[in-house]
Amino acid sequence: MSILPIIEYPDRLLRKKAKPVTNFDKSLTKLVEDMVNTLHDSQGIGLAANQIGVLLRIIVLQMPDENYPRVFINPEIIDRDGNRKVVEGCLSVPGYHGYVFRSLWVKAVGLNNKLEYTKLYADGLLAQALEHETDHLNGIMYFDHLKKHEDLIKNPSEQE
Ligand code: CO
C-alpha cells in the first residue's frame, strides 16, 4: 500500500467531474487500498479520488468513532432532507475551515470494497462527509456553499 500525494486547490483536477468506475480489476483494489491508506495518514475523515489526481468516482470515509473505513465506488446520493449549519474543512484546502449548510440526513447508494451494491442511510457527520466527498466527484468544493465570504476562516494556528 502507498500513501499518495493529495492535490490542493486550485489544482484544476479538483474542478473536473469524475467518471464512473467501469473496470473492476486488481488496479481498482490497489487504488482503493492506497486511498484508505492516504486517508489514514492524513487523519482526515474523507477522501475523493479527484484529490489524489484520479478522475474516477471513488470515495473513502472513516468516521472518528468507527474503526473501519467505508468505501463507496460510484456513489450516489438518492435522497436528502433538512438543513443544518456545520463547520467544514478539506484536505485539499489546508489551513482553512468554513461554515456551510448540509443536509440532516442522506440516503446513498454505491458499491462497497467487495463490489457489493450498498444502500446507506446516514445522518450527522457521516451525512456531511458523504455530501462533501460526492461533491468532490462533481468538481464542487465546500467553499462553493459558503453563504458569505466571511464564512471561510483561516485556522488560528496559521494566522500571522
Ligand atoms: Co474535501
Side-chain angles (χ1 to χ4, degrees), residues 46-48 51 88-93 132-133 136 140-142:
L47 184 73
Q51 293 178 278
E88 199 157 305
C90 178
L91 293 170
S92 294
V93 193
H132 179 112
E133 302 311 331
H136 270 305
I140 297 166
M141 302 295 290
Y142 80 91

mmCIF file with all atom_site columns, all heavy atoms in Angstrom, residues 46-48 51 88-93 132-133 136 140-142, ligand 1:
data_model
loop_
_atom_site.group_PDB
_atom_site.id
_atom_site.type_symbol
_atom_site.label_atom_id
_atom_site.label_alt_id
_atom_site.label_comp_id
_atom_site.label_asym_id
_atom_site.label_entity_id
_atom_site.label_seq_id
_atom_site.pdbx_PDB_ins_code
_atom_site.Cartn_x
_atom_site.Cartn_y
_atom_site.Cartn_z
_atom_site.occupancy
_atom_site.B_iso_or_equiv
_atom_site.pdbx_formal_charge
_atom_site.auth_seq_id
_atom_site.auth_comp_id
_atom_site.auth_asym_id
_atom_site.auth_atom_id
_atom_site.pdbx_PDB_model_num
ATOM   1   N  N   . GLY A 1 46  ? -12.481 11.946 5.170  1.00 0.00 ? 46  GLY A N   1
ATOM   2   C  CA  . GLY A 1 46  ? -12.959 11.553 3.849  1.00 0.00 ? 46  GLY A CA  1
ATOM   3   C  C   . GLY A 1 46  ? -11.983 11.961 2.768  1.00 0.00 ? 46  GLY A C   1
ATOM   4   O  O   . GLY A 1 46  ? -11.254 12.945 2.909  1.00 0.00 ? 46  GLY A O   1
ATOM   5   N  N   . LEU A 1 47  ? -11.972 11.180 1.697  1.00 0.00 ? 47  LEU A N   1
ATOM   6   C  CA  . LEU A 1 47  ? -11.093 11.466 0.562  1.00 0.00 ? 47  LEU A CA  1
ATOM   7   C  C   . LEU A 1 47  ? -11.797 11.015 -0.715 1.00 0.00 ? 47  LEU A C   1
ATOM   8   O  O   . LEU A 1 47  ? -12.340 9.912  -0.775 1.00 0.00 ? 47  LEU A O   1
ATOM   9   C  CB  . LEU A 1 47  ? -9.769  10.705 0.741  1.00 0.00 ? 47  LEU A CB  1
ATOM   10  C  CG  . LEU A 1 47  ? -8.681  10.954 -0.300 1.00 0.00 ? 47  LEU A CG  1
ATOM   11  C  CD1 . LEU A 1 47  ? -8.051  12.341 -0.123 1.00 0.00 ? 47  LEU A CD1 1
ATOM   12  C  CD2 . LEU A 1 47  ? -7.582  9.884  -0.217 1.00 0.00 ? 47  LEU A CD2 1
ATOM   13  N  N   . ALA A 1 48  ? -11.769 11.888 -1.718 1.00 0.00 ? 48  ALA A N   1
ATOM   14  C  CA  . ALA A 1 48  ? -12.321 11.548 -3.027 1.00 0.00 ? 48  ALA A CA  1
ATOM   15  C  C   . ALA A 1 48  ? -11.162 11.346 -3.994 1.00 0.00 ? 48  ALA A C   1
ATOM   16  O  O   . ALA A 1 48  ? -10.093 11.943 -3.831 1.00 0.00 ? 48  ALA A O   1
ATOM   17  C  CB  . ALA A 1 48  ? -13.227 12.678 -3.527 1.00 0.00 ? 48  ALA A CB  1
ATOM   18  N  N   . GLN A 1 51  ? -8.909  14.019 -5.419 1.00 0.00 ? 51  GLN A N   1
ATOM   19  C  CA  . GLN A 1 51  ? -7.907  14.634 -4.544 1.00 0.00 ? 51  GLN A CA  1
ATOM   20  C  C   . GLN A 1 51  ? -6.536  13.961 -4.643 1.00 0.00 ? 51  GLN A C   1
ATOM   21  O  O   . GLN A 1 51  ? -5.549  14.513 -4.174 1.00 0.00 ? 51  GLN A O   1
ATOM   22  C  CB  . GLN A 1 51  ? -8.384  14.606 -3.094 1.00 0.00 ? 51  GLN A CB  1
ATOM   23  C  CG  . GLN A 1 51  ? -9.598  15.502 -2.856 1.00 0.00 ? 51  GLN A CG  1
ATOM   24  C  CD  . GLN A 1 51  ? -10.051 15.410 -1.424 1.00 0.00 ? 51  GLN A CD  1
ATOM   25  O  OE1 . GLN A 1 51  ? -10.765 14.489 -1.056 1.00 0.00 ? 51  GLN A OE1 1
ATOM   26  N  NE2 . GLN A 1 51  ? -9.617  16.342 -0.596 1.00 0.00 ? 51  GLN A NE2 1
ATOM   27  N  N   . GLU A 1 88  ? -16.695 22.979 8.434  1.00 0.00 ? 88  GLU A N   1
ATOM   28  C  CA  . GLU A 1 88  ? -16.139 22.010 7.495  1.00 0.00 ? 88  GLU A CA  1
ATOM   29  C  C   . GLU A 1 88  ? -14.747 22.431 7.044  1.00 0.00 ? 88  GLU A C   1
ATOM   30  O  O   . GLU A 1 88  ? -14.430 23.624 6.987  1.00 0.00 ? 88  GLU A O   1
ATOM   31  C  CB  . GLU A 1 88  ? -17.096 21.938 6.290  1.00 0.00 ? 88  GLU A CB  1
ATOM   32  C  CG  . GLU A 1 88  ? -16.933 20.699 5.466  1.00 0.00 ? 88  GLU A CG  1
ATOM   33  C  CD  . GLU A 1 88  ? -18.203 20.384 4.672  1.00 0.00 ? 88  GLU A CD  1
ATOM   34  O  OE1 . GLU A 1 88  ? -19.294 20.269 5.254  1.00 0.00 ? 88  GLU A OE1 1
ATOM   35  O  OE2 . GLU A 1 88  ? -18.076 20.243 3.448  1.00 0.00 ? 88  GLU A OE2 1
ATOM   36  N  N   . GLY A 1 89  ? -13.931 21.444 6.738  1.00 0.00 ? 89  GLY A N   1
ATOM   37  C  CA  . GLY A 1 89  ? -12.622 21.685 6.163  1.00 0.00 ? 89  GLY A CA  1
ATOM   38  C  C   . GLY A 1 89  ? -12.384 20.667 5.073  1.00 0.00 ? 89  GLY A C   1
ATOM   39  O  O   . GLY A 1 89  ? -13.228 19.815 4.813  1.00 0.00 ? 89  GLY A O   1
ATOM   40  N  N   . CYS A 1 90  ? -11.226 20.755 4.427  1.00 0.00 ? 90  CYS A N   1
ATOM   41  C  CA  . CYS A 1 90  ? -10.937 19.855 3.312  1.00 0.00 ? 90  CYS A CA  1
ATOM   42  C  C   . CYS A 1 90  ? -9.432  19.636 3.239  1.00 0.00 ? 90  CYS A C   1
ATOM   43  O  O   . CYS A 1 90  ? -8.659  20.589 3.361  1.00 0.00 ? 90  CYS A O   1
ATOM   44  C  CB  . CYS A 1 90  ? -11.443 20.477 2.013  1.00 0.00 ? 90  CYS A CB  1
ATOM   45  S  SG  . CYS A 1 90  ? -11.103 19.489 0.550  1.00 0.00 ? 90  CYS A SG  1
ATOM   46  N  N   . LEU A 1 91  ? -9.027  18.394 3.017  1.00 0.00 ? 91  LEU A N   1
ATOM   47  C  CA  . LEU A 1 91  ? -7.603  18.074 2.914  1.00 0.00 ? 91  LEU A CA  1
ATOM   48  C  C   . LEU A 1 91  ? -6.939  18.824 1.750  1.00 0.00 ? 91  LEU A C   1
ATOM   49  O  O   . LEU A 1 91  ? -5.732  19.043 1.767  1.00 0.00 ? 91  LEU A O   1
ATOM   50  C  CB  . LEU A 1 91  ? -7.414  16.563 2.733  1.00 0.00 ? 91  LEU A CB  1
ATOM   51  C  CG  . LEU A 1 91  ? -7.798  15.684 3.934  1.00 0.00 ? 91  LEU A CG  1
ATOM   52  C  CD1 . LEU A 1 91  ? -7.785  14.207 3.536  1.00 0.00 ? 91  LEU A CD1 1
ATOM   53  C  CD2 . LEU A 1 91  ? -6.875  15.937 5.111  1.00 0.00 ? 91  LEU A CD2 1
ATOM   54  N  N   . SER A 1 92  ? -7.734  19.216 0.768  1.00 0.00 ? 92  SER A N   1
ATOM   55  C  CA  . SER A 1 92  ? -7.182  19.937 -0.384 1.00 0.00 ? 92  SER A CA  1
ATOM   56  C  C   . SER A 1 92  ? -7.185  21.450 -0.188 1.00 0.00 ? 92  SER A C   1
ATOM   57  O  O   . SER A 1 92  ? -6.768  22.191 -1.089 1.00 0.00 ? 92  SER A O   1
ATOM   58  C  CB  . SER A 1 92  ? -7.966  19.581 -1.659 1.00 0.00 ? 92  SER A CB  1
ATOM   59  O  OG  . SER A 1 92  ? -7.769  18.215 -1.980 1.00 0.00 ? 92  SER A OG  1
ATOM   60  N  N   . VAL A 1 93  ? -7.682  21.891 0.960  1.00 0.00 ? 93  VAL A N   1
ATOM   61  C  CA  . VAL A 1 93  ? -7.669  23.324 1.297  1.00 0.00 ? 93  VAL A CA  1
ATOM   62  C  C   . VAL A 1 93  ? -7.094  23.475 2.713  1.00 0.00 ? 93  VAL A C   1
ATOM   63  O  O   . VAL A 1 93  ? -7.786  23.854 3.646  1.00 0.00 ? 93  VAL A O   1
ATOM   64  C  CB  . VAL A 1 93  ? -9.092  23.942 1.222  1.00 0.00 ? 93  VAL A CB  1
ATOM   65  C  CG1 . VAL A 1 93  ? -9.028  25.476 1.264  1.00 0.00 ? 93  VAL A CG1 1
ATOM   66  C  CG2 . VAL A 1 93  ? -9.839  23.482 -0.018 1.00 0.00 ? 93  VAL A CG2 1
ATOM   67  N  N   . HIS A 1 132 ? -19.902 16.061 1.177  1.00 0.00 ? 132 HIS A N   1
ATOM   68  C  CA  . HIS A 1 132 ? -18.625 16.719 0.844  1.00 0.00 ? 132 HIS A CA  1
ATOM   69  C  C   . HIS A 1 132 ? -17.860 15.915 -0.219 1.00 0.00 ? 132 HIS A C   1
ATOM   70  O  O   . HIS A 1 132 ? -17.377 16.480 -1.210 1.00 0.00 ? 132 HIS A O   1
ATOM   71  C  CB  . HIS A 1 132 ? -17.798 16.868 2.123  1.00 0.00 ? 132 HIS A CB  1
ATOM   72  C  CG  . HIS A 1 132 ? -16.460 17.513 1.932  1.00 0.00 ? 132 HIS A CG  1
ATOM   73  N  ND1 . HIS A 1 132 ? -16.149 18.760 2.431  1.00 0.00 ? 132 HIS A ND1 1
ATOM   74  C  CD2 . HIS A 1 132 ? -15.334 17.082 1.296  1.00 0.00 ? 132 HIS A CD2 1
ATOM   75  C  CE1 . HIS A 1 132 ? -14.904 19.071 2.104  1.00 0.00 ? 132 HIS A CE1 1
ATOM   76  N  NE2 . HIS A 1 132 ? -14.383 18.066 1.426  1.00 0.00 ? 132 HIS A NE2 1
ATOM   77  N  N   . GLU A 1 133 ? -17.770 14.599 -0.013 1.00 0.00 ? 133 GLU A N   1
ATOM   78  C  CA  . GLU A 1 133 ? -16.953 13.778 -0.928 1.00 0.00 ? 133 GLU A CA  1
ATOM   79  C  C   . GLU A 1 133 ? -17.638 13.553 -2.273 1.00 0.00 ? 133 GLU A C   1
ATOM   80  O  O   . GLU A 1 133 ? -16.968 13.543 -3.309 1.00 0.00 ? 133 GLU A O   1
ATOM   81  C  CB  . GLU A 1 133 ? -16.591 12.443 -0.279 1.00 0.00 ? 133 GLU A CB  1
ATOM   82  C  CG  . GLU A 1 133 ? -15.820 12.541 1.038  1.00 0.00 ? 133 GLU A CG  1
ATOM   83  C  CD  . GLU A 1 133 ? -14.617 13.465 1.015  1.00 0.00 ? 133 GLU A CD  1
ATOM   84  O  OE1 . GLU A 1 133 ? -14.004 13.653 -0.048 1.00 0.00 ? 133 GLU A OE1 1
ATOM   85  O  OE2 . GLU A 1 133 ? -14.303 14.029 2.088  1.00 0.00 ? 133 GLU A OE2 1
ATOM   86  N  N   . HIS A 1 136 ? -17.001 16.494 -4.346 1.00 0.00 ? 136 HIS A N   1
ATOM   87  C  CA  . HIS A 1 136 ? -15.676 16.460 -4.995 1.00 0.00 ? 136 HIS A CA  1
ATOM   88  C  C   . HIS A 1 136 ? -15.751 15.767 -6.353 1.00 0.00 ? 136 HIS A C   1
ATOM   89  O  O   . HIS A 1 136 ? -15.123 16.202 -7.321 1.00 0.00 ? 136 HIS A O   1
ATOM   90  C  CB  . HIS A 1 136 ? -14.668 15.695 -4.124 1.00 0.00 ? 136 HIS A CB  1
ATOM   91  C  CG  . HIS A 1 136 ? -13.930 16.547 -3.134 1.00 0.00 ? 136 HIS A CG  1
ATOM   92  N  ND1 . HIS A 1 136 ? -13.217 17.661 -3.493 1.00 0.00 ? 136 HIS A ND1 1
ATOM   93  C  CD2 . HIS A 1 136 ? -13.774 16.427 -1.781 1.00 0.00 ? 136 HIS A CD2 1
ATOM   94  C  CE1 . HIS A 1 136 ? -12.654 18.204 -2.407 1.00 0.00 ? 136 HIS A CE1 1
ATOM   95  N  NE2 . HIS A 1 136 ? -12.982 17.474 -1.350 1.00 0.00 ? 136 HIS A NE2 1
ATOM   96  N  N   . ILE A 1 140 ? -17.066 20.044 -7.175 1.00 0.00 ? 140 ILE A N   1
ATOM   97  C  CA  . ILE A 1 140 ? -17.578 21.080 -6.262 1.00 0.00 ? 140 ILE A CA  1
ATOM   98  C  C   . ILE A 1 140 ? -16.746 21.079 -4.982 1.00 0.00 ? 140 ILE A C   1
ATOM   99  O  O   . ILE A 1 140 ? -16.466 20.022 -4.411 1.00 0.00 ? 140 ILE A O   1
ATOM   100 C  CB  . ILE A 1 140 ? -19.071 20.810 -5.935 1.00 0.00 ? 140 ILE A CB  1
ATOM   101 C  CG1 . ILE A 1 140 ? -19.901 20.895 -7.216 1.00 0.00 ? 140 ILE A CG1 1
ATOM   102 C  CG2 . ILE A 1 140 ? -19.585 21.789 -4.875 1.00 0.00 ? 140 ILE A CG2 1
ATOM   103 C  CD1 . ILE A 1 140 ? -21.303 20.320 -7.080 1.00 0.00 ? 140 ILE A CD1 1
ATOM   104 N  N   . MET A 1 141 ? -16.325 22.273 -4.549 1.00 0.00 ? 141 MET A N   1
ATOM   105 C  CA  . MET A 1 141 ? -15.565 22.437 -3.310 1.00 0.00 ? 141 MET A CA  1
ATOM   106 C  C   . MET A 1 141 ? -16.503 22.940 -2.212 1.00 0.00 ? 141 MET A C   1
ATOM   107 O  O   . MET A 1 141 ? -17.467 23.648 -2.493 1.00 0.00 ? 141 MET A O   1
ATOM   108 C  CB  . MET A 1 141 ? -14.437 23.452 -3.515 1.00 0.00 ? 141 MET A CB  1
ATOM   109 C  CG  . MET A 1 141 ? -13.466 23.097 -4.628 1.00 0.00 ? 141 MET A CG  1
ATOM   110 S  SD  . MET A 1 141 ? -12.511 21.607 -4.300 1.00 0.00 ? 141 MET A SD  1
ATOM   111 C  CE  . MET A 1 141 ? -11.436 22.173 -2.968 1.00 0.00 ? 141 MET A CE  1
ATOM   112 N  N   . TYR A 1 142 ? -16.172 22.628 -0.959 1.00 0.00 ? 142 TYR A N   1
ATOM   113 C  CA  . TYR A 1 142 ? -17.107 23.011 0.111  1.00 0.00 ? 142 TYR A CA  1
ATOM   114 C  C   . TYR A 1 142 ? -17.305 24.509 0.182  1.00 0.00 ? 142 TYR A C   1
ATOM   115 O  O   . TYR A 1 142 ? -18.385 24.993 0.510  1.00 0.00 ? 142 TYR A O   1
ATOM   116 C  CB  . TYR A 1 142 ? -16.683 22.430 1.472  1.00 0.00 ? 142 TYR A CB  1
ATOM   117 C  CG  . TYR A 1 142 ? -15.573 23.172 2.201  1.00 0.00 ? 142 TYR A CG  1
ATOM   118 C  CD1 . TYR A 1 142 ? -15.865 24.196 3.099  1.00 0.00 ? 142 TYR A CD1 1
ATOM   119 C  CD2 . TYR A 1 142 ? -14.244 22.839 1.996  1.00 0.00 ? 142 TYR A CD2 1
ATOM   120 C  CE1 . TYR A 1 142 ? -14.851 24.872 3.769  1.00 0.00 ? 142 TYR A CE1 1
ATOM   121 C  CE2 . TYR A 1 142 ? -13.232 23.509 2.664  1.00 0.00 ? 142 TYR A CE2 1
ATOM   122 C  CZ  . TYR A 1 142 ? -13.532 24.527 3.548  1.00 0.00 ? 142 TYR A CZ  1
ATOM   123 O  OH  . TYR A 1 142 ? -12.532 25.190 4.203  1.00 0.00 ? 142 TYR A OH  1
HETATM 124 CO CO  . CO  B 2 .   ? -12.526 17.745 0.612  1.00 0.00 ? 1   CO  B CO  1
#
